[in-house]
PDB file of all heavy atoms in Angstrom:
ATOM      1  N   GLY A 406      26.222  -0.287 -47.515  1.00 92.00           N
ATOM      2  CA  GLY A 406      26.845  -1.601 -47.639  1.00 92.00           C
ATOM      3  C   GLY A 406      26.172  -2.739 -46.904  1.00 92.00           C
ATOM      4  O   GLY A 406      26.674  -3.869 -46.930  1.00 92.00           O
ATOM      5  N   PHE A 407      25.050  -2.487 -46.240  1.00 95.00           N
ATOM      6  CA  PHE A 407      24.326  -3.564 -45.562  1.00 95.00           C
ATOM      7  C   PHE A 407      23.409  -4.272 -46.557  1.00 95.00           C
ATOM      8  O   PHE A 407      22.898  -3.654 -47.502  1.00 95.00           O
ATOM      9  CB  PHE A 407      23.509  -3.006 -44.399  1.00 95.00           C
ATOM     10  CG  PHE A 407      24.334  -2.621 -43.198  1.00 95.00           C
ATOM     11  CD1 PHE A 407      25.032  -1.413 -43.170  1.00 95.00           C
ATOM     12  CD2 PHE A 407      24.429  -3.466 -42.107  1.00 95.00           C
ATOM     13  CE1 PHE A 407      25.798  -1.057 -42.078  1.00 95.00           C
ATOM     14  CE2 PHE A 407      25.194  -3.118 -40.990  1.00 95.00           C
ATOM     15  CZ  PHE A 407      25.883  -1.907 -40.981  1.00 95.00           C
ATOM     16  N   LYS A 408      23.204  -5.552 -46.315  1.00 95.00           N
ATOM     17  CA  LYS A 408      22.359  -6.353 -47.200  1.00 95.00           C
ATOM     18  C   LYS A 408      21.283  -7.074 -46.395  1.00 95.00           C
ATOM     19  O   LYS A 408      21.492  -7.398 -45.217  1.00 95.00           O
ATOM     20  CB  LYS A 408      23.210  -7.379 -47.960  1.00 95.00           C
ATOM     21  CG  LYS A 408      24.236  -6.733 -48.886  1.00 95.00           C
ATOM     22  CD  LYS A 408      25.049  -7.786 -49.627  1.00 95.00           C
ATOM     23  CE  LYS A 408      26.067  -7.118 -50.556  1.00 95.00           C
ATOM     24  NZ  LYS A 408      26.883  -8.135 -51.275  1.00 95.00           N
ATOM     25  N   SER A 409      20.152  -7.312 -47.018  1.00 95.00           N
ATOM     26  CA  SER A 409      19.054  -7.995 -46.345  1.00 95.00           C
ATOM     27  C   SER A 409      19.477  -9.399 -45.925  1.00 95.00           C
ATOM     28  O   SER A 409      20.231 -10.089 -46.624  1.00 95.00           O
ATOM     29  CB  SER A 409      17.846  -8.097 -47.282  1.00 95.00           C
ATOM     30  OG  SER A 409      17.354  -6.809 -47.578  1.00 95.00           O
ATOM     31  N   ALA A 410      19.014  -9.804 -44.758  1.00 94.00           N
ATOM     32  CA  ALA A 410      19.344 -11.130 -44.233  1.00 94.00           C
ATOM     33  C   ALA A 410      18.115 -11.699 -43.537  1.00 94.00           C
ATOM     34  O   ALA A 410      17.116 -11.004 -43.326  1.00 94.00           O
ATOM     35  CB  ALA A 410      20.522 -11.034 -43.274  1.00 94.00           C
ATOM     36  N   SER A 411      18.202 -12.965 -43.192  1.00 93.00           N
ATOM     37  CA  SER A 411      17.079 -13.617 -42.520  1.00 93.00           C
ATOM     38  C   SER A 411      17.305 -13.631 -41.017  1.00 93.00           C
ATOM     39  O   SER A 411      18.417 -13.431 -40.527  1.00 93.00           O
ATOM     40  CB  SER A 411      16.935 -15.055 -43.014  1.00 93.00           C
ATOM     41  OG  SER A 411      18.076 -15.813 -42.638  1.00 93.00           O
ATOM     42  N   LEU A 412      16.253 -13.858 -40.285  1.00 92.00           N
ATOM     43  CA  LEU A 412      16.304 -13.914 -38.836  1.00 92.00           C
ATOM     44  C   LEU A 412      17.254 -15.013 -38.369  1.00 92.00           C
ATOM     45  O   LEU A 412      17.928 -14.884 -37.342  1.00 92.00           O
ATOM     46  CB  LEU A 412      14.897 -14.156 -38.293  1.00 92.00           C
ATOM     47  CG  LEU A 412      14.712 -14.107 -36.780  1.00 92.00           C
ATOM     48  CD1 LEU A 412      15.093 -12.734 -36.243  1.00 92.00           C
ATOM     49  CD2 LEU A 412      13.260 -14.447 -36.425  1.00 92.00           C
ATOM     50  N   GLU A 413      17.348 -16.106 -39.154  1.00 91.00           N
ATOM     51  CA  GLU A 413      18.185 -17.230 -38.772  1.00 91.00           C
ATOM     52  C   GLU A 413      19.670 -16.882 -38.763  1.00 91.00           C
ATOM     53  O   GLU A 413      20.486 -17.597 -38.162  1.00 91.00           O
ATOM     54  CB  GLU A 413      17.950 -18.409 -39.726  1.00 91.00           C
ATOM     55  CG  GLU A 413      16.633 -19.120 -39.509  1.00 91.00           C
ATOM     56  CD  GLU A 413      15.428 -18.255 -39.906  1.00 91.00           C
ATOM     57  OE1 GLU A 413      15.594 -17.412 -40.837  1.00 91.00           O
ATOM     58  OE2 GLU A 413      14.356 -18.405 -39.290  1.00 91.00           O
ATOM     59  N   GLU A 414      20.058 -15.804 -39.411  1.00 91.00           N
ATOM     60  CA  GLU A 414      21.463 -15.431 -39.477  1.00 91.00           C
ATOM     61  C   GLU A 414      21.926 -14.659 -38.245  1.00 91.00           C
ATOM     62  O   GLU A 414      23.120 -14.379 -38.088  1.00 91.00           O
ATOM     63  CB  GLU A 414      21.728 -14.593 -40.735  1.00 91.00           C
ATOM     64  CG  GLU A 414      21.505 -15.358 -42.031  1.00 91.00           C
ATOM     65  CD  GLU A 414      21.774 -14.509 -43.261  1.00 91.00           C
ATOM     66  OE1 GLU A 414      22.926 -14.029 -43.401  1.00 91.00           O
ATOM     67  OE2 GLU A 414      20.849 -14.308 -44.061  1.00 91.00           O
ATOM     68  N   LEU A 415      20.992 -14.318 -37.350  1.00 92.00           N
ATOM     69  CA  LEU A 415      21.349 -13.589 -36.151  1.00 92.00           C
ATOM     70  C   LEU A 415      21.937 -14.520 -35.096  1.00 92.00           C
ATOM     71  O   LEU A 415      21.650 -15.712 -35.093  1.00 92.00           O
ATOM     72  CB  LEU A 415      20.115 -12.891 -35.573  1.00 92.00           C
ATOM     73  CG  LEU A 415      19.454 -11.814 -36.433  1.00 92.00           C
ATOM     74  CD1 LEU A 415      18.234 -11.235 -35.709  1.00 92.00           C
ATOM     75  CD2 LEU A 415      20.439 -10.699 -36.771  1.00 92.00           C
ATOM     76  N   PRO A 416      22.751 -13.989 -34.191  1.00 92.00           N
ATOM     77  CA  PRO A 416      23.231 -14.815 -33.075  1.00 92.00           C
ATOM     78  C   PRO A 416      22.053 -15.379 -32.291  1.00 92.00           C
ATOM     79  O   PRO A 416      20.972 -14.769 -32.239  1.00 92.00           O
ATOM     80  CB  PRO A 416      24.034 -13.822 -32.235  1.00 92.00           C
ATOM     81  CG  PRO A 416      24.436 -12.752 -33.180  1.00 92.00           C
ATOM     82  CD  PRO A 416      23.319 -12.634 -34.162  1.00 92.00           C
ATOM     83  N   THR A 417      22.246 -16.490 -31.661  1.00 90.00           N
ATOM     84  CA  THR A 417      21.153 -17.191 -30.977  1.00 90.00           C
ATOM     85  C   THR A 417      20.438 -16.294 -29.967  1.00 90.00           C
ATOM     86  O   THR A 417      19.208 -16.220 -29.947  1.00 90.00           O
ATOM     87  CB  THR A 417      21.700 -18.442 -30.263  1.00 90.00           C
ATOM     88  OG1 THR A 417      22.338 -19.288 -31.234  1.00 90.00           O
ATOM     89  CG2 THR A 417      20.579 -19.201 -29.580  1.00 90.00           C
ATOM     90  N   LEU A 418      21.181 -15.602 -29.131  1.00 90.00           N
ATOM     91  CA  LEU A 418      20.572 -14.764 -28.111  1.00 90.00           C
ATOM     92  C   LEU A 418      19.702 -13.684 -28.728  1.00 90.00           C
ATOM     93  O   LEU A 418      18.583 -13.427 -28.252  1.00 90.00           O
ATOM     94  CB  LEU A 418      21.665 -14.130 -27.234  1.00 90.00           C
ATOM     95  CG  LEU A 418      21.171 -13.198 -26.127  1.00 90.00           C
ATOM     96  CD1 LEU A 418      20.269 -13.958 -25.152  1.00 90.00           C
ATOM     97  CD2 LEU A 418      22.351 -12.567 -25.382  1.00 90.00           C
ATOM     98  N   LYS A 419      20.156 -13.068 -29.803  1.00 92.00           N
ATOM     99  CA  LYS A 419      19.372 -12.015 -30.444  1.00 92.00           C
ATOM    100  C   LYS A 419      18.149 -12.591 -31.130  1.00 92.00           C
ATOM    101  O   LYS A 419      17.064 -11.991 -31.118  1.00 92.00           O
ATOM    102  CB  LYS A 419      20.237 -11.252 -31.459  1.00 92.00           C
ATOM    103  CG  LYS A 419      19.586  -9.969 -31.956  1.00 92.00           C
ATOM    104  CD  LYS A 419      19.447  -8.963 -30.818  1.00 92.00           C
ATOM    105  CE  LYS A 419      18.773  -7.675 -31.283  1.00 92.00           C
ATOM    106  NZ  LYS A 419      18.672  -6.680 -30.189  1.00 92.00           N
ATOM    107  N   ARG A 420      18.328 -13.748 -31.701  1.00 90.00           N
ATOM    108  CA  ARG A 420      17.200 -14.385 -32.390  1.00 90.00           C
ATOM    109  C   ARG A 420      16.099 -14.744 -31.396  1.00 90.00           C
ATOM    110  O   ARG A 420      14.912 -14.572 -31.671  1.00 90.00           O
ATOM    111  CB  ARG A 420      17.707 -15.631 -33.123  1.00 90.00           C
ATOM    112  CG  ARG A 420      16.680 -16.259 -34.057  1.00 90.00           C
ATOM    113  CD  ARG A 420      17.324 -17.280 -34.990  1.00 90.00           C
ATOM    114  NE  ARG A 420      17.910 -18.405 -34.259  1.00 90.00           N
ATOM    115  CZ  ARG A 420      19.209 -18.691 -34.218  1.00 90.00           C
ATOM    116  NH1 ARG A 420      20.077 -17.914 -34.850  1.00 90.00           N
ATOM    117  NH2 ARG A 420      19.639 -19.738 -33.545  1.00 90.00           N
ATOM    118  N   GLU A 421      16.493 -15.189 -30.219  1.00 89.00           N
ATOM    119  CA  GLU A 421      15.509 -15.601 -29.219  1.00 89.00           C
ATOM    120  C   GLU A 421      14.768 -14.415 -28.608  1.00 89.00           C
ATOM    121  O   GLU A 421      13.648 -14.572 -28.113  1.00 89.00           O
ATOM    122  CB  GLU A 421      16.206 -16.399 -28.110  1.00 89.00           C
ATOM    123  CG  GLU A 421      16.725 -17.759 -28.587  1.00 89.00           C
ATOM    124  CD  GLU A 421      17.500 -18.481 -27.507  1.00 89.00           C
ATOM    125  OE1 GLU A 421      17.824 -17.833 -26.481  1.00 89.00           O
ATOM    126  OE2 GLU A 421      17.800 -19.678 -27.683  1.00 89.00           O
ATOM    127  N   THR A 422      15.408 -13.210 -28.619  1.00 90.00           N
ATOM    128  CA  THR A 422      14.758 -12.023 -28.029  1.00 90.00           C
ATOM    129  C   THR A 422      14.183 -11.099 -29.103  1.00 90.00           C
ATOM    130  O   THR A 422      13.760  -9.977 -28.793  1.00 90.00           O
ATOM    131  CB  THR A 422      15.771 -11.243 -27.181  1.00 90.00           C
ATOM    132  OG1 THR A 422      16.900 -10.884 -27.990  1.00 90.00           O
ATOM    133  CG2 THR A 422      16.251 -12.087 -26.000  1.00 90.00           C
ATOM    134  N   TYR A 423      14.153 -11.546 -30.342  1.00 91.00           N
ATOM    135  CA  TYR A 423      13.627 -10.721 -31.436  1.00 91.00           C
ATOM    136  C   TYR A 423      12.154 -10.402 -31.188  1.00 91.00           C
ATOM    137  O   TYR A 423      11.356 -11.276 -30.836  1.00 91.00           O
ATOM    138  CB  TYR A 423      13.789 -11.474 -32.758  1.00 91.00           C
ATOM    139  CG  TYR A 423      13.240 -10.746 -33.970  1.00 91.00           C
ATOM    140  CD1 TYR A 423      13.982  -9.779 -34.623  1.00 91.00           C
ATOM    141  CD2 TYR A 423      11.963 -11.050 -34.457  1.00 91.00           C
ATOM    142  CE1 TYR A 423      13.480  -9.123 -35.732  1.00 91.00           C
ATOM    143  CE2 TYR A 423      11.452 -10.400 -35.566  1.00 91.00           C
ATOM    144  CZ  TYR A 423      12.209  -9.431 -36.195  1.00 91.00           C
ATOM    145  OH  TYR A 423      11.695  -8.786 -37.302  1.00 91.00           O
ATOM    146  N   ASN A 424      11.791  -9.153 -31.356  1.00 90.00           N
ATOM    147  CA  ASN A 424      10.417  -8.693 -31.150  1.00 90.00           C
ATOM    148  C   ASN A 424       9.633  -8.846 -32.459  1.00 90.00           C
ATOM    149  O   ASN A 424       9.717  -8.005 -33.348  1.00 90.00           O
ATOM    150  CB  ASN A 424      10.419  -7.237 -30.684  1.00 90.00           C
ATOM    151  CG  ASN A 424       9.032  -6.751 -30.310  1.00 90.00           C
ATOM    152  OD1 ASN A 424       8.026  -7.350 -30.671  1.00 90.00           O
ATOM    153  ND2 ASN A 424       8.977  -5.634 -29.593  1.00 90.00           N
TER     154      ASN A 424
END
Side-chain angles (χ1 to χ4, degrees):
F407 286 79
K408 297 180 180 179
S409 295
S411 65
L412 186 61
E413 286 69 30
E414 295 180 60
L415 297 179
T417 302
L418 179 61
K419 192 66 181 182
R420 189 167 63 245
E421 292 176 348
T422 57
Y423 178 83
N424 186 343

